[in-house]
Amino acid sequence: MLVTTESKAQGWRAVAVFDDRADALLFVGRSSTQVRQMYAEAFAEVLDEEEREHVTTIQLQQWSGAPDAGRWVLKTTLKVPTPAAKVRLAA
């Protein structure tokens, strides 16, 4: 049974693109706004420090087509989050 409640695809995702390995999925959301709000947090949680150093770009992609027959389409690139400054405490 196919239930179509929306006229166009609503699947969005953020994908990390590396300089030395395959791409990595960071976050999937229902809207581009939701993905934009959450991808930086996912970047810090999903990737370890070594992986984060090799990210060249983050792509915002939207699903285009039927749920079982479509493809991800690049919509824009997102800013690669910078790591929070490490605070050193005086001993």
Side-chain angles (χ1 to χ4, degrees), residues 58-74:
I58 297 177
Q59 296 181 346
L60 177 65
Q61 301 174 349
Q62 182 183 26
W63 184 255
S64 177
D68 62 344
R71 64 186 179 96
W72 289 102
V73 177
L74 173 64

Side-chain angles (χ1 to χ4, degrees), residues 22-70:
D23 300 349
L25 178 63
L26 294 177
F27 188 83
V28 176
R30 296 183 68 191
S31 67
S32 63
T33 302
Q34 181 185 28
V35 173
R36 287 175 188 271
Q37 290 173 344
M38 299 300 296
Y39 85 93
E41 184 178 330
F43 178 83
E45 290 181 12
V46 172
L47 305 176
D48 63 29
E49 184 176 343
E50 190 270 331
E51 291 172 320
R52 290 191 293 267
E53 292 173 0
H54 289 277
V55 173
T56 59
T57 189
I58 297 177
Q59 296 181 346
L60 177 65
Q61 301 174 349
Q62 182 183 26
W63 184 255
S64 177
D68 62 344

Side-chain angles (χ1 to χ4, degrees), residues 77-88:
T77 56
L78 303 171
K79 183 179 175 184
V80 176
T82 56
K86 294 181 181 179
V87 177
R88 298 185 76 163

